[in-house]
């Protein structure tokens, strides 16, 4: 029997606020399987290795492509759709809403825990975000 990650929300306003944003309060991860943790990924084209700078949307989609490929490569068969935790670093706070909208469009109904942090800069100049993911390979 395959155990699934269980997503939960606090009762009351905090839980409802997070639920309305499609984000869980907690993710209970089964102890069977292997915990897979990615490095932070910026918007790099998976096929060419080049930074994606044509638009913020393209950059964010490239980040999700890289995370998905990394998780699948490590044995997470559903890739980013199985991630229970994401940590996103932004150089502009206003980009968080756009990234979340892209994520929801790609993975409708998926509600991982999500932490967003605004930083002064990223190591790769011109990049607007870097994201790390965790998932369980069962």
């Amino acid at each position: 029997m395959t155990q699934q990650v269980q997503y939960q929300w606090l009762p009351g306003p905090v839980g409802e606020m997070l639920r309305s944003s499609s984000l869980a309060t907690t993710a209970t991860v089964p102890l069977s399987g292997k915990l897979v943790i990615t490095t932070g990924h910026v918007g790099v084209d998976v096929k060419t290795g080049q930074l994606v700078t044509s638009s913020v949307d393209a950059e964010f989609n490239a980040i999700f492509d890289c995370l998905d490929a990394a998780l699948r490569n490590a044995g997470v068969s559903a890739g980013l759709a199985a991630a229970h935790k994401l940590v996103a670093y932004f150089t502009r706070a206003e980009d968080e809403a756009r990234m979340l909208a892209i994520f929801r469009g790609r993975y409708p109904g998926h509600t991982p825990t999500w932490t967003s942090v605004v930083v002064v800069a990223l190591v790769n100049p011109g990049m607007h975000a870097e994201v790390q993911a965790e998932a369980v390979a069962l």
Side-chain angles (χ1 to χ4, degrees):
M1 181 172 107
T2 303
Q3 294 180 331
Q4 300 290 324
V5 175
Q6 292 181 322
Y7 299 98
Q8 299 164 315
W9 294 267
L10 283 172
V14 171
E16 289 308 312
M17 175 190 65
L18 289 169
R19 186 186 302 268
S20 69
S21 298
S22 296
L23 303 172
T25 307
T26 60
T28 302
V29 180
L31 297 178
S32 60
K34 297 177 183 176
L35 180 62
V36 177
I37 303 168
T38 71
T39 188
H41 284 272
V42 295
V44 175
D45 184 295
V46 174
K47 294 177 183 154
T48 67
Q50 299 297 309
L51 292 174
V52 176
T53 58
S54 56
S55 71
V56 171
D57 282 19
E59 177 186 340
F60 291 174
N61 273 296
I63 290 170
F64 293 143
D65 291 344
C66 287
L67 289 168
D68 186 67
L71 290 170
R72 288 177 188 277
N73 186 63
V76 179
S77 60
L80 193 53
H84 60 265
K85 176 182 177 183
L86 288 102
V87 179
Y89 301 91
F90 296 95
T91 58
R92 304 181 309 196
E94 60 269 21
D95 287 336
E96 179 193 37
R98 187 68 202 133
M99 181 177 276
L100 286 169
I102 291 168
F103 183 84
R104 287 186 199 109
R106 290 178 64 140
Y107 305 102
H110 186 45
T111 58
T113 61
W114 186 298
T115 300
S116 294
V117 180
V118 177
V119 297
V120 174
L122 297 168
V123 172
N124 298 87
M127 293 287 94
H128 299 93
E130 183 170 333
V131 182
Q132 179 188 31
E134 289 186 12
V136 174
L138 299 172

